Amino acid sequence: MQENNAKGTDISTLGEFGLIKHLTKNIKLKHESSNVGVGDDAAVIDCKNKKTVVTTDLLVEGIHFDLMYTPLRHLGYKAIVVNVSDVYAMNAEPKQVTVSLAISKRFTLEAIDEIYEGINMACEKYNVDLVGGDTTSSLTGLCISVTAIGEADEDQIAYRSGAKANDLICVSGNLGAAYAGLQLLDREKRIFENNPEIQPDLTGHDYILERQLKPEARKDIFESLQDAKIVPTAMIDVSDGLSSELFHICEDSKVGCQIYEEKIPIDYETHKMAEELNMNYSVFALNGGEDYELLFTVPLDKFDAIEEMEDVKVIGHITNESKGKYLVTRDGVEIELQAQGWNPIKED
Amino acid sequence: MQENNAKGTDISTLGEFGLIKHLTKNIKLKHESSNVGVGDDAAVIDCKNKKTVVTTDLLVEGIHFDLMYTPLRHLGYKAIVVNVSDVYAMNAEPKQVTVSLAISKRFTLEAIDEIYEGINMACEKYNVDLVGGDTTSSLTGLCISVTAIGEADEDQIAYRSGAKANDLICVSGNLGAAYAGLQLLDREKRIFENNPEIQPDLTGHDYILERQLKPEARKDIFESLQDAKIVPTAMIDVSDGLSSELFHICEDSKVGCQIYEEKIPIDYETHKMAEELNMNYSVFALNGGEDYELLFTVPLDKFDAIEEMEDVKVIGHITNESKGKYLVTRDGVEIELQAQGWNPIKED
């Protein structure tokens, strides 16, 4: 477990402009379309003949992350990933991001540098330019707001609304792992809080921990789809759980769906964690969140192309709206899906 | 003074998706370039042959606003204004905004509706489309993050870096009024806290209160410049005080400046407030913040055109860098300018 109040440089010694200079001095713009980055009233972008897609996400301490077990570097990385994931979910290519940070006095310059290391690492990995932002203080928690901008040709954009009856429902990677990682971290935190002598036992859970703390967006799947010249009829990223995302696609496309429990890809570690906690691993996939996998639909005739695609599974098909939204369990029982995604508007 | 814990609808009764639906149900897109607004993973914008400018600002409770005296409607309005002001400062036309909101449980649905009323009012006034956002909860304070997107022809964009020696320094409206309003509100808040029996006395201060609580961006000046076919050599909006903004222009343009205290436009109410508080009103203009006026430079031969422009004053001229940055006081004394803008990275 991590301490964030280590000794270091007090940020008030730099002032706002000094801090901005410090944080932006090494930024190099990678894209021709990023005409002007930080340093003026606004960034300037040249989108030429493409469409621009824009998405934004706000991460709040205590709601989206717990600094007791979230390394700051990973937090910065994740803040970028969750936004570029939304751009890929439009079948568009992320190009620019802006980052706003509200930080309390307990953060040292070194702590902020760690957040930015993660941000820069993700910008490098996903080939996006950091073109602007805002840095301010907060009386209480840490708050990170990211806006991602991407581009796509008009006929390449995948909305949530284009799924048709008989389309195949496909998902990348595996589901529920990030939620399994969160369950583990919460359990170990409670144990640690009750008895600080007991060190957290996280061995053998590397995969689910990484899925929770340092998730990746599916740039590779976006590229595979480009290579295969497939434009999904509908696409969304799995941030609130499979069930909730299927609801979005079905409602926006005015269709129903049928998915098969046995086809939902779930990692061995997710299985194991669910077992340890006496929970159903399918629930992790259906109602957990933060997988950042891509869920998409394609016409039936793309079946062979999808079968050849690495790390993509067909988990069911789209039906007429009147058929409803169903999960067929391992025992062959049809259960109506519930849209109970991960809810950041907490009730407690 | 205002209470924010009035009875009303608990937002947890709606859930995240219900809340989003509620908040977005009446949005109508005004611009052809706003292809797709809220409701998918990202918004889609068509910028055709124009350049896109992007700017973002994060407003944090207790740092940028005090809910004890800030009506929520005004807060929503201001959150949009401060961002479109940055777009005008690029000499670009704002077209779209995204809004992210982090709200604690103490906010009712009616309170959030009030914030959005202000947001929608500003979107209407400045003719921008609300195309996306994120709504989440916060364990503590309210947090509003806005990203504004605008467009401009390449040769129309005004950076901070183009000012040349002998250019005229111009400013719109008047300066220091928002800071005067803040001083008044802080004084009355302290009186109220010490003795809740005493009602705040805000009469006769309407103008400075409005400048603080419900500022406007200078759409009209942007339009006047277009009409006069003037592209400023440099432009910035006054958010951190005149002195700080002049520093930005001078440093980015590698020039010096000379401005005249007697030419700085200051409203009568600002004067009066400074007097009441035994402070120098020029300090309000130089080091106060949140004026959202436009500060810009134009070549000397535009003098007549600027003189004809409504609500714009010439306050000095650009000099060679070696001459430094000076204010000539009423008594003819030259004082070196200090870049002590309003600093949201507080030291206390």
Side-chain angles (χ1 to χ4, degrees), chain A residues 16 35 40-41 43 45 47-48 51-55 57-58 63-64 134 136-137 140 143 145 147 160 237 344, chain B residues 35 40-41 43 45-48 51-55 57-58 63-64 134 136-137 140 143 145 147 160 344:
Chain A
E16 186 192 7
N35 290 178
D40 216 301
D41 296 287
I45 294 169
C47 22
K48 298 224 169 81
K51 295 277 179 173
T52 302
V53 305
V54 179
T55 177
D57 257 307
L58 183 59
I63 304 293
H64 300 95
D134 192 17
T136 185
S137 62
T140 48
C143 198
S145 173
T147 297
R160 297 176 178 177
D237 69 326
Chain B
N35 289 178
D40 216 300
D41 296 285
I45 294 168
D46 186 353
C47 22
K48 297 221 170 81
K51 296 277 178 171
T52 302
V53 306
V54 180
T55 178
D57 258 307
L58 182 60
I63 305 292
H64 301 92
D134 191 17
T136 185
S137 62
T140 47
C143 198
S145 173
T147 297
R160 297 176 177 177

Side-chain angles (χ1 to χ4, degrees), chain A residues 76 81 152 246 261 332:
Chain A
V81 165
L246 278 169
E261 188 183 12

Side-chain angles (χ1 to χ4, degrees), chain A residues 133-315:
Chain A
D134 192 17
T135 307
T136 185
S137 62
S138 149
L139 291 181
T140 48
L142 175 66
C143 198
I144 307 183
S145 173
V146 175
T147 297
I149 296 161
E151 60 177 44
D153 288 323
E154 181 162 14
D155 57 2
Q156 294 290 310
I157 297 180
Y159 298 102
R160 297 176 178 177
S161 54
K164 300 265 179 300
N166 300 320
D167 279 358
L168 300 170
I169 301 173
C170 314
V171 72
S172 65
N174 62 73
L175 301 175
Y179 187 74
L182 182 63
Q183 295 299 312
L184 171 64
L185 287 165
D186 274 344
R187 183 185 72 183
E188 296 301 317
K189 178 184 168 180
R190 279 193 305 274
I191 293 172
F192 178 80
E193 282 174 341
N194 289 331
N195 186 351
E197 300 292 304
I198 300 176
Q199 278 301 298
D201 179 18
L202 304 172
T203 50
H205 297 294
D206 299 358
Y207 178 69
I208 57 172
L209 288 173
E210 179 147 345
R211 286 298 297 266
Q212 170 56 227
L213 296 175
K214 187 170 169 286
E216 301 288 353
R218 299 309 303 253
K219 183 176 197 268
D220 56 335
I221 303 297
F222 164 75
E223 289 165 349
S224 299
L225 288 166
Q226 304 275 104
D227 292 346
K229 299 199 192 319
I230 295 175
V231 178
T233 49
M235 184 147 68
I236 192 169
D237 69 326
V238 184
S239 54
D240 298 331
L242 177 60
S243 193
S244 169
E245 313 308 351
L246 278 169
F247 259 74
H248 283 308
I249 287 182
C250 288
E251 290 189 355
D252 289 2
S253 300
K254 301 195 192 332
V255 293
C257 69
Q258 180 136 325
I259 59 165
Y260 299 87
E261 188 183 12
E262 63 182 2
K263 294 192 185 287
I264 300 173
I266 293 178
D267 185 80
Y268 169 71
E269 276 193 28
T270 308
H271 265 270
K272 213 172 55 175
M273 195 69 234
E275 220 163 71
E276 269 185 56
L277 297 167
N278 272 322
M279 290 172 78
N280 181 338
Y281 54 78
S282 292
V283 172
F284 280 22
L286 289 163
N287 299 336
E290 305 191 275
D291 290 314
Y292 304 109
E293 297 292 351
L294 290 172
L295 175 72
F296 57 95
T297 58
V298 296
L300 196 51
D301 63 13
K302 303 290 181 204
F303 183 78
D304 291 341
I306 293 290
E307 280 286 289
E308 276 175 27
M309 218 171 265
E310 214 170 312
D311 216 19
V312 173
K313 295 273 173 304
V314 176
I315 60 168

